[in-house]
Amino acid sequence: MTSTAPSPGTPDSSLLDLAPVIPVVIVNDVATAVPMARALVAGGLPAIEVTFRTPAAADAIRAIADEVPDAVVGAGTVLTPEQVETAVAAGSRFLVTPGWTDRLLGALDASGLPYLPGVSTTSEVVALLERGVEEMKFFPAEAAGGTAYLKALASPLPRARFCPTGGVNASNALGYLSLPNVGCVGGTWMLPPDALEAGDWARVESLAREAAALRR
């Protein structure tokens, strides 16, 4: 995320501080987007990352932005400047990438939205800090070294804050959240496929509430 003040329509505080968990959502059917978002918000998870992994993603973001005013909906798995433009046009309030290039970072900056560029190495973190970017996605968290890796970064790179995503679940989330350089985590465990398929939004809300209760 950029270190500048949020633009109108974006979170007033850091995205990392809105809730301990950001649900990472893959939407196949736009019709599920709004009830799913309402369940997550009711459970205490207002920041929702809708990934650009399906053709329905942009329409899902638009539907949530239009119909769930308490949701802070953003776009994830953003890989190109064109996807940045699509996400902004759909009503995204933040952007998340699994990694970054100079071209993509330029588009993220130009969007005016808060963003979390993905990193998995120390050099990537240092390069972003050099550009004034202090909040990042650590991905794929478990495969890239997990809590031990992030703990090792805290002392030499104290300005960097992370949202670890990738292999984070209900059993290990608190371990990440206990680290001083972790603001929140991203995950999918509050969105089990069988609950989504059945439209069991009460279960999603219950799991979201449990996730929202994960505090240091």
Side-chain angles (χ1 to χ4, degrees), residues 119-197:
V119 297
S120 60
T121 69
T122 306
S123 293
E124 290 170 321
V125 176
V126 172
L128 287 176
L129 289 173
E130 190 176 76
R131 293 166 177 257
V133 180
E134 299 183 353
E135 297 184 349
M136 312 164 197
K137 171 179 178 174
F138 179 55
F139 176 83
E142 284 290 283
T147 56
Y149 192 95
L150 287 175
K151 185 176 182 180
L153 294 183
S155 180
L157 301 171
R159 287 192 295 129
R161 296 181 74 214
F162 301 95
C163 173
T165 306
V168 181
N169 53 49
S171 63
N172 63 15
L174 199 55
Y176 283 99
L177 291 168
S178 67
L179 299 176
N181 55 351
V182 170
C184 66
V185 299
T188 63
W189 73 89
M190 72 296 301
L191 297 161
D194 57 337
L196 298 182
E197 185 175 348

Side-chain angles (χ1 to χ4, degrees), residues 18-130:
L18 290 180
V21 181
I22 297 178
V24 179
V25 177
I26 300 173
V27 177
N28 292 297
D29 182 357
V30 176
T32 67
V34 168
M36 176 190 59
R38 286 175 175 156
L40 292 171
V41 170
L45 301 180
I48 302 170
E49 176 188 337
V50 178
T51 62
F52 270 133
R53 301 184 192 182
T54 70
D59 287 337
I61 292 169
R62 186 174 293 106
I64 294 170
D66 289 345
E67 300 184 43
V68 192
D70 291 333
V72 179
V73 63
T77 321
V78 176
L79 301 175
T80 67
E82 292 75 21
Q83 286 182 325
V84 171
E85 293 179 2
T86 300
V88 172
S92 293
R93 295 174 62 183
F94 65 91
L95 305 167
V96 184
T97 75
W100 61 275
T101 64
D102 288 339
R103 181 168 177 260
L104 180 55
L105 201 64
L108 294 171
D109 270 330
S111 75
L113 296 181
Y115 61 84
L116 296 174
V119 297
S120 60
T121 69
T122 306
S123 293
E124 290 170 321
V125 176
V126 172
L128 287 176
L129 289 173
E130 190 176 76

